[in-house]
Amino acid sequence: MKKIADSIRQDILKMIHNAKSGHPGGSLSCVDILVVLYKKILNVPVDWDKSPDFKNRDRFILSKGHASAALYATLAHFGYFSKSLLMGFRILGSKLQGHPSSKVGLAGIEVSTGSLGQGLSIGAGVALALRLDKIKSKVFVLLGDGEMQEGSVWESLMNINNQKLSNLVVIIDKNNLQIDGSVCDIKSLDPLDKKLEAFGFKVKSIDGHNYIELENAFMEAKKANEPFAIIANTIKGKGVSFMENNPSWHGKAPNDEQLKLALEELC
Amino acid sequence: MLSKVDEIKSPRNIYGQTLSELGEKNPNIVVLDADLSCSTQTCKFRDKFPNRFFNCGIAEQDLITTAAGLAYGGKTVFASTFAMFATARCLDQIRNTICYSKLNVKIVATHGGITVGEDGASHQALEDISFMRSIPDMKVIVPSDCTEVEEVIRYAAQTKGPMYIRIPRTNLKTIFDKNEYKFNPRVGLKIKDGKDLTIVTNGETLGEVLIAAQKLSQVGIEADILHYPVVKPFDFISLVGSAKKTKKVIVVENHSIIGGLGSAVCESLSENYPTKVLRIGTEDTFGQSGEQRQLMEFYGLTGTKIYEKIIKFMDVR
């Protein structure tokens, strides 16, 4: 697993370096979550909409759309599209838009995201549709912790509990940082677990870089018959020492030298 | 095409009734509301199909984005609340989630325009069409009477893609004959032929324009009346044809003169056939409390006021 994650982290950095823009910090923090999801948990056919089983797939929605590089690199790694597309990230005419776009027809991308605070309601709507159609698939929505400052997230949490949506799993990439600094200084969410519990969720707090803890939490969430939230405690910039826990790497591309150093660390 | 029956009906009632009729034939239709289901009349659908109705509570951002998710899940989705909250409150969600992904969500907003009445400025949506019209892939429809509301809702249910449909709070005089009228989403509808000026309108001001036109006829001025229920995509061909004939265009709408039908008309004419235009609507201002007719009078939207403004406009020329 670590090997896969390291290779995805390398791709992310190369993509952002090539595009001269992007979001390394929050992409690196959620890589391990994505790797476990796509390797062990999600039932999403690699031939995407060409699969006869397409409508029964699990749905993954990246609500923190700025971590698009992480999702693209993960999807390419698991064969949803060619790795050769990765270097088109953020370049004119590419399907790898700065934030995920469902308009361009890229395998693995469910809905467009990027404006924060919307993925959870979208996921809830999809989960309601699945329930009406009696399809057993699950919906997984990945949010950032900073994103949870958006009021619309809490509107959706209330709705999910009210509708008793047990076919939706909320995952929070809690890296504790946002652009302007630390989440707890800017607008604290703590105690996040208690808040989610008060909103009617079963909450599991785990180490978001520990593959076993991640897999166990996802398995438990899949079996749950109540709204379920996983708080994945992560490190922003994980895997690159000079990016770790440093908010200045939220939305900045590494230069040639920095890329070289980072890739060496991830070998 | 015009109705001979003298009746006044509630467009919201017709909306609710049409929805629940459609719901019977089409199990794929789902409806969402934000705690206003009695006002919007989506309660009619809720009572018949409780499993396909979702009340998102007083949370319009959640309403619109959950609607988007249901549409992404393959449903034909109607989402309703007041025009004020269905647009301004969740503009980002409409743009970035519904329209960007071209999802099959019909936002049917009631209480559009100044005629919300006594609730005052906070509830009077005078900019909603302007907001909706500027978003790519959004269709914007403003029907004028109950016959048209029913037709438009049926059209919406069988047409894919994002749509904004604006319905007033007011009860409306029936203008179109139920047996003869067929909604055409592609062209502006010629209501009356005239050579002296063109009047373009939609929504509840169509009834007022008909009154104004009658008064104009009495003083020998014949108006070409074009009804534009579809503000976007805008049929400029019919408009330009009429403007070439009359050389004078007046737009009347229950909306700000900025960004709505008046702007659509000016944009089309300035590019295709520059013509002097008079826009009649609310000025660059907020509304206020008052009884519906008083407000129409105050903001110059009654038949008589429209007539007076047009006479003045013709004199100046």
Side-chain angles (χ1 to χ4, degrees):
Chain A
M1 295 287 260
K2 174 145 191 322
K3 263 193 164 164
I4 298 174
D6 281 347
S7 132
I8 288 171
R9 285 190 164 94
Q10 290 180 23
D11 284 339
I12 291 169
L13 293 166
K14 287 181 202 161
M15 289 160 70
I16 295 173
H17 170 261
N18 188 57
K20 299 189 180 65
S21 71
H23 298 83
S27 294
L28 294 173
S29 69
C30 68
V31 168
D32 299 307
I33 298 168
L34 291 173
V35 168
V36 174
L37 276 174
Y38 278 90
K39 185 156 175 65
K40 302 268 190 174
I41 304 294
L42 295 177
N43 168 31
V44 180
V46 281
D47 48 352
W48 192 236
D49 56 358
K50 287 170 198 74
S51 162
D53 209 29
F54 185 62
K55 101 176 155 64
N56 295 317
R57 74 195 183 284
D58 289 326
R59 270 66 162 180
F60 175 75
I61 295 169
L62 183 71
S63 191
K64 47 173 284 180
H66 57 280
S68 54
L71 181 58
Y72 296 145
T74 305
L75 289 169
H77 177 88
F78 288 104
Y80 291 87
F81 52 80
S82 163
K83 273 195 166 192
S84 65
L85 294 183
L86 290 179
M87 289 304 139
F89 179 55
R90 286 178 165 251
I91 286 169
L92 185 68
S94 166
K95 289 186 175 181
L96 278 63
Q97 290 288 297
H99 295 80
S101 168
S102 61
K103 224 180 170 63
V104 293
L106 186 66
I109 301 301
E110 297 281 1
V111 288
S112 306
T113 51
S115 176
L116 293 174
Q118 301 186 29
L120 195 54
S121 289
I122 302 172
V126 173
L128 286 168
L130 290 170
R131 190 162 77 180
L132 282 170
D133 292 340
K134 300 189 169 51
I135 297 173
K136 295 263 179 265
S137 318
K138 296 271 179 188
V139 181
F140 293 79
V141 183
L142 178 61
L143 300 98
D145 54 346
E147 179 182 8
M148 298 202 68
Q149 292 165 344
E150 292 279 8
S152 55
V153 172
W154 300 88
E155 290 184 5
S156 184
L157 289 167
M158 276 186 268
N159 198 34
I160 291 164
N161 180 42
N162 204 59
Q163 296 287 347
K164 301 283 170 243
L165 285 175
S166 57
N167 57 347
L168 179 142
V169 180
V170 182
I171 310 157
I172 297 144
D173 173 13
K174 190 172 187 294
N175 60 33
N176 300 314
L177 292 178
Q178 56 191 108
I179 300 179
D180 276 354
S182 118
V183 174
C184 71
D185 289 341
I186 290 161
K187 190 183 254 187
S188 176
L189 294 160
D190 291 333
L192 186 55
D193 52 348
K194 297 278 183 299
K195 285 180 181 162
L196 290 165
E197 277 164 14
F199 273 67
F201 279 71
K202 167 101 173 136
V203 182
K204 191 97 191 161
S205 287
I206 56 159
D207 173 354
H209 300 302
N210 181 312
Y211 303 113
I212 294 162
E213 282 189 37
L214 279 164
E215 187 178 350
N216 288 342
F218 289 136
M219 293 307 285
E220 191 181 336
K222 268 186 123 165
K223 284 187 212 125
N225 50 14
E226 62 193 317
F228 201 100
I230 296 168
I231 299 175
N233 292 291
T234 59
I235 294 167
K236 194 152 182 163
K238 171 74 178 177
V240 179
S241 58
F242 58 89
M243 291 184 179
E244 285 190 1
N245 287 321
N246 182 348
S248 76
W249 284 100
H250 172 89
K252 182 172 79 175
N255 61 27
D256 295 351
E257 181 68 12
Q258 289 161 332
L259 176 70
K260 191 165 160 276
L261 283 171
L263 293 179
E264 278 167 14
E265 285 189 27
L266 289 162
C267 268
Chain B
M1 180 186 60
L2 295 186
S3 172
K4 285 155 201 81
V5 190
D6 200 12
E7 60 174 11
I8 290 175
K9 293 201 291 191
S10 155
R12 291 179 280 145
N13 247 331
I14 297 294
Y15 167 49
Q17 271 171 28
T18 310
L19 260 191
S20 46
E21 280 169 34
L22 287 167
E24 259 171 44
K25 287 181 219 135
N26 185 351
N28 208 38
I29 290 178
V30 299
V31 177
L32 294 88
D33 206 298
D35 198 41
L36 287 169
S37 58
C38 293
S39 297
T40 64
Q41 288 293 304
T42 57
C43 57
K44 291 191 162 66
F45 184 95
R46 175 200 65 199
D47 293 346
K48 242 175 167 174
F49 311 104
N51 294 335
R52 289 193 270 142
F53 177 85
F54 305 101
N55 197 332
C56 291
I58 310 164
E60 292 77 14
Q61 300 175 77
D62 188 41
L63 168 86
I64 288 299
T65 329
T66 306
L70 276 153
Y72 184 69
K75 301 294 165 194
T76 299
V77 187
F78 284 82
S80 286
T81 179
F82 290 179
M84 185 71 240
F85 316 123
T87 55
R89 187 65 170 251
C90 39
L91 192 56
D92 181 350
Q93 282 78 1
I94 296 172
R95 180 192 185 275
N96 281 316
T97 297
I98 292 181
C99 293
Y100 186 29
S101 295
K102 223 174 174 173
L103 293 171
N104 196 19
V105 178
K106 318 300 169 194
I107 301 170
V108 183
T110 67
H111 295 62
I114 195 76
T115 42
V116 165
E118 293 79 354
D119 277 344
S122 63
H123 284 53
Q124 289 158 337
L126 303 176
E127 310 86 11
D128 54 326
I129 295 162
S130 168
F131 296 151
M132 294 297 102
R133 205 169 68 87
S134 65
I135 307 175
D137 288 325
M138 180 60 107
K139 269 202 174 91
V140 181
I141 309 182
V142 188
S144 275
D145 79 341
C146 291
T147 308
E148 192 163 60
V149 166
E150 182 176 341
E151 284 271 316
V152 166
I153 298 302
R154 289 184 190 281
Y155 163 77
Q158 60 194 21
T159 310
K160 290 250 185 278
M163 230 175 259
Y164 178 70
I165 300 167
R166 187 216 224 200
I167 291 176
R169 176 183 174 220
T170 342
N171 292 338
L172 297 174
K173 189 173 183 308
T174 299
I175 293 171
F176 299 111
D177 186 304
K178 205 171 158 41
N179 301 315
E180 290 174 17
Y181 177 75
K182 185 88 195 103
F183 171 66
N184 183 337
R186 283 172 299 280
V187 292
L189 182 65
K190 172 74 73 72
I191 303 280
K192 175 185 169 302
D193 240 332
K195 57 179 182 0
D196 301 321
L197 76 155
T198 301
I199 309 180
V200 185
T201 190
N202 64 17
E204 61 190 310
T205 46
L206 173 58
E208 304 300 328
V209 163
L210 291 175
I211 295 168
Q214 220 167 25
K215 286 178 182 288
L216 288 166
S217 279
Q218 286 163 8
V219 294
I221 299 171
E222 293 303 332
D224 221 27
I225 303 180
L226 295 177
H227 168 46
Y228 268 77
V230 181
V231 184
K232 192 185 159 199
F234 190 75
D235 161 35
F236 68 93
I237 294 167
S238 315
L239 171 67
V240 168
S242 178
K244 278 183 180 166
K245 181 172 65 174
T246 66
K247 312 275 192 283
K248 302 171 205 69
V249 175
I250 287 127
V251 192
V252 185
E253 60 186 322
N254 184 354
H255 184 272
S256 165
I257 55 168
I258 300 169
L261 183 65
S263 292
V265 165
C266 291
E267 289 157 15
S268 290
L269 286 178
S270 61
E271 281 185 347
N272 297 289
Y273 189 76
T275 309
K276 178 117 175 152
V277 176
L278 170 68
R279 293 170 298 158
I280 301 178
T282 53
E283 303 287 326
D284 185 15
T285 182
F286 291 101
Q288 61 178 309
S289 291
E291 187 271 324
Q292 290 170 346
R293 283 311 294 178
Q294 285 176 340
L295 288 166
M296 287 287 273
E297 190 79 22
F298 185 89
Y299 290 98
L301 296 173
T302 56
T304 310
K305 290 279 183 187
I306 294 166
Y307 164 79
E308 288 166 4
K309 283 189 189 177
I310 291 176
I311 290 289
K312 212 167 145 196
F313 178 67
M314 302 285 279
D315 275 357
V316 170
R317 289 182 56 84

